[in-house]
Amino acid sequence: MQAKQGYFEAAGGPEVIRWRQIDLPAPGPGEVLLRHEAVGLNFIDTYHRGGLYPVTFPATLGLEAAGTIEAAGEGVKLAPGTRAATMGPSRGAYATARIVPAREVIALPDDIDARTAAASLLKGCTTEMLAERVATPQPGEWALVHAAAGGVGQLLVQWLAAIGVRVIGTAGSANKQALARSLGCELVIPADAPDIGEQVRAATGGAGVRATYDGVGKATWEASLKATGRRGTIASFGNASGPVTGVNLGVLAAHGSLYVTRPTLFDWYATPQEAAGGVARLWEMIRTGKVRIDVGQTYPLEQAAQAHRDLEARRTIGSTLLLP
């Protein structure tokens, strides 16, 4: 089977993404051939492309895609014709089809379509990990979500509100701020406000939040420290503005004996049982309407470079799909 595949030969800006036709072999033992209907765009794709997360060249891009299994190798229980999705850790989702290790493939329930899966699987499981495993504020407690109108941010706001957590968000434009409020934020602070920490403290009676979820990184680190209350947790899960470096551990004591973690999804989904539980919980939240999946924009697959530009320039809202 022939497929179109995105790849790059050196780290750099979106312009390094190239395209080629490849011949896919028959899947080997423990593998499947997955034909893609939708590909998910995630910030981690820009980290691979830009060199923040080193890769071996030439390299492929993308962790998340959904479609249909066309063929299965020896020992695979998933039959051809099964609707399925993947969220990594293997890269290569920027393609019309690819060979994937069967252990990374998740069969889709009948009520989850390919676009919903590709828009939600990686971000949704990241949300489940953050809200229910990494930092777990209880009903009535406060949490801060940076980039509350972004892909993970939207899901986190909804998820936390659904389990009774009081949510404060940060967002850039007026439209994004309004969206964050509509999803469940009780207070939305402009992302460029110089006093985010102070505003959070005022809203929480001086106590600060129990948990801060920070996918922005360098630009929001100081605000996260100031906003998080005594013995609270900062979950720093992304580097959209650059990585947090040179952390002085004494700062954590000075701000109230804080906990800080830099979680990675596949450390929390390390076993099939852990992954299956998280995926099932995500489908439940979508199925019951507690979490709505917003596909804010779509691009043809070969316009992935433009999608990267828009994502890094904060021009996207919610999830983004690349369509083969």
Side-chain angles (χ1 to χ4, degrees):
M1 178 179 181
Q2 279 206 328
K4 185 167 290 186
Q5 180 188 67
Y7 73 104
F8 62 116
E9 296 182 320
E15 69 279 357
V16 302
I17 301 174
R18 301 179 181 179
W19 298 91
R20 61 190 175 192
Q21 287 289 131
I22 59 171
D23 290 313
L24 293 175
E31 296 179 333
V32 302
L33 171 58
L34 183 66
R35 176 177 54 80
H36 296 163
E37 297 175 36
V39 175
L41 176 70
N42 294 280
F43 243 108
I44 194 172
D45 303 346
T46 71
Y47 305 159
H48 290 139
R49 186 215 73 225
L52 182 62
Y53 292 176
V55 297
T56 301
F57 299 111
T60 56
L61 273 170
L63 300 177
E64 184 179 41
T68 302
I69 295 174
E70 295 292 318
E74 181 182 351
V76 176
K77 295 180 180 180
L78 297 168
T82 300
R83 297 170 54 257
T86 180
M87 60 178 177
S90 297
R91 286 174 287 105
Y94 286 20
T96 55
R98 64 170 171 152
I99 302 293
V100 191
R103 66 180 179 274
E104 296 183 10
V105 176
I106 298 163
L108 297 179
D110 292 340
D111 57 348
I112 303 294
D113 61 79
R115 290 196 180 194
T116 298
S120 67
L121 189 56
L122 182 57
K123 287 179 277 291
C125 288
T126 298
T127 297
E128 187 275 336
M129 169 195 74
L130 291 170
E132 302 202 351
R133 306 188 192 202
V134 171
T136 56
Q138 300 304 299
E141 293 183 329
W142 287 94
L144 171 64
V145 177
H146 288 294
V152 173
Q154 284 195 27
L155 302 186
L156 257 174
V157 170
Q158 294 178 80
W159 198 296
L160 292 166
I163 62 177
V165 176
R166 304 183 72 180
V167 185
I168 298 170
T170 67
S173 67
N175 287 343
K176 289 185 176 183
Q177 293 167 29
L179 175 60
R181 279 188 287 271
S182 74
L183 294 173
C185 286
E186 294 188 34
L187 170 67
V188 180
I189 302 170
D192 59 357
D195 60 344
I196 291 173
E198 290 80 357
Q199 290 194 53
V200 169
R201 290 281 176 168
T204 58
V209 296
R210 185 64 180 163
T212 293
Y213 301 95
D214 191 343
V216 178
K218 181 178 180 180
T220 47
W221 173 245
E222 290 297 329
S224 294
L225 286 171
K226 293 176 181 178
T228 308
R230 182 177 290 121
R231 298 196 305 273
T233 298
I234 301 173
S236 178
F237 66 94
N239 312 283
S241 67
V244 177
T245 58
V247 177
N248 175 358
L249 294 181
V251 170
L252 305 180
H255 284 83
S257 300
L258 303 184
Y259 296 88
V260 176
T261 179
R262 182 61 175 84
T264 299
L265 179 62
F266 298 108
D267 286 331
W268 288 90
Y269 281 40
T271 68
Q273 294 76 20
E274 288 176 341
V279 172
R281 178 71 168 135
L282 171 62
W283 298 152
E284 175 192 359
M285 294 294 276
I286 294 173
R287 190 175 287 123
T288 57
K290 294 177 180 177
V291 168
R292 185 182 79 240
I293 305 303
D294 173 26
V295 178
Q297 47 280 311
T298 64
Y299 300 78
L301 179 63
E302 289 183 73
Q303 291 183 14
Q306 185 59 49
H308 277 223
R309 292 185 188 98
D310 291 344
L311 179 65
E312 292 179 299
R314 311 291 196 275
R315 290 193 290 263
T316 62
I317 295 178
S319 295
T320 301
L321 293 180
L322 308 175
L323 302 178

